[in-house]
Structures are given as structure tokens and as C-alpha cells.
Amino acid sequence: MTTPPSPIQARLADMFSQSAAVLTRPAPQTFELFERRGGISQALTYVLLAALVSAVIAAIFAPFHEGTTVLGQLITRLILIPLQFMIFTGAVYLIGKYLFRGTGTYPEVAYSFALFFVPLSIIGSLLGIIPILGWIVGVLISAVMIFFGYLAVGSSMNLRDGVGAAVTLILAGVAHWAVGLLLPF
């Protein structure tokens, strides 16, 4: 009796190269290449990297904003960014599975989303500190994340219907927003 091969567990360097491939060749097929090469722990590790960059940048600029503390920025970003990521990708998985009969797994969803979320978040954090350019970058990064999110939903949940993927993404956004209202942060 042979056991099925276990998925390749991506290292940070692997995730960077996979992110570059996803960002430069945006297509469901590109996500399909990588969705099983990592799991929840790799996705969270990668998202923690984005949270760390965001936290450090926010902490550096905290003294310039009234009512904001360095420690507060560090703690909230290191907790909230991974938590919000898990809530959103969890909503994508549950909505895709139960409303649209998607066949993907939660680890595939989390890993697929991490591959574009992390580099785009880091770019947004770095460019977001530039006055006036910051809000423009924020809008552009959000639009690009929606585009890649649409591709990732279709691929990771195996939803070949574009409407199902779009509705899953929209409903996950609404669910994420609603849960955010309930959190005490």
C-alpha cells in the first residue's frame, strides 16, 4: 500500500517566487499551480510578514498622529491583519462551498489569497506613507486585490462560473465587514 504524496510545504523564499508568478501571470491556472504547495501555517506565516511590515511602518509614524501610540500600532496590526485575513478567507471558503458547491479546501483558499495579499499589502504599506499618493495607492491596491481575489476564488474553490466567484467574493467582503463591526478593536 502506498501513501499519497504529501503537498510541498513552501518556505518563505518559495512563497516570494510564487507571489511573483501570480502577480506577473494573473490567471486561474497560475493559482492552480501553487494552491496545494502550502497550507494554513504557510499562509499565516506569510501574512504575519505583511503584518510586521505594516506594524513597523505604522509604529514609526505613530508619533505624528494624535491619539496613536507606537505600542498600540504594533500590537493591533500584528493581531488584526492576520485575524482579518483568516475571517475573510474563511468566509470565502464557507460561502464558496455551501452556496456555490465549490470543492476547494480552506488551506487552498488561505494559501492562494496569501500569495497576492502579502506583496500587495507590503507595497501598499510602503507607498501609503507618501502624502497625497497614499490614498491613491490605497484605492489602486484595493482594486488590484479585488481582481486577484476574483481569480483566487475561482481557482481555489474550483468555481468555474464567473458569477459564482464574484458573488462569493462580494459576500465574503460583506461578511468580513459585518464581523469587523462586532470586534472590540
Side-chain angles (χ1 to χ4, degrees):
M1 181 167 116
T2 62
T3 59
S6 63
I8 299 168
Q9 298 302 312
R11 296 169 297 145
L12 208 50
D14 299 326
M15 290 184 267
F16 281 120
S17 66
Q18 292 167 10
S19 288
V22 163
L23 293 174
T24 58
R25 295 188 318 255
Q29 298 83 0
T30 310
F31 281 103
E32 292 284 342
L33 290 173
F34 304 119
E35 69 184 10
R36 291 190 180 122
R37 295 199 183 180
I40 297 169
S41 62
Q42 288 78 22
L44 273 177
T45 300
Y46 205 31
V47 169
L48 278 170
L49 174 66
L52 181 62
V53 170
S54 175
V56 168
I57 290 171
I60 289 169
F61 287 92
F64 303 110
H65 300 281
E66 189 175 320
T68 305
T69 66
V70 171
L71 188 58
Q73 289 298 309
L74 285 171
I75 292 171
T76 57
R77 290 179 189 252
L78 288 172
I79 293 171
L80 286 182
I81 290 173
L83 180 62
Q84 290 172 341
F85 178 85
M86 297 302 287
I87 290 168
F88 183 78
T89 54
V92 165
Y93 170 71
L94 293 172
I95 292 165
K97 179 176 178 141
Y98 293 107
L99 288 183
F100 296 100
R101 299 179 194 236
T103 58
T105 66
Y106 180 68
E108 291 169 351
V109 171
Y111 192 71
S112 294
F113 271 78
L115 290 178
F116 70 87
F117 173 79
V118 170
L120 292 175
S121 293
I122 290 172
I123 291 167
S125 292
L126 293 171
L127 295 179
I129 62 174
I130 301 169
I132 301 189
L133 184 62
W135 72 271
I136 295 170
V137 167
V139 169
L140 290 174
I141 294 286
S142 295
V144 171
M145 281 205 192
I146 290 169
F147 170 71
F148 280 101
Y150 171 77
L151 296 176
V153 168
S155 173
S156 64
M157 287 306 300
N158 302 312
L159 299 175
R160 299 303 172 227
D161 173 26
V163 173
V167 171
T168 297
L169 191 63
I170 291 166
L171 291 177
V174 170
H176 176 262
W177 175 77
V179 170
L181 290 176
L182 300 173
L183 292 176
F185 299 104

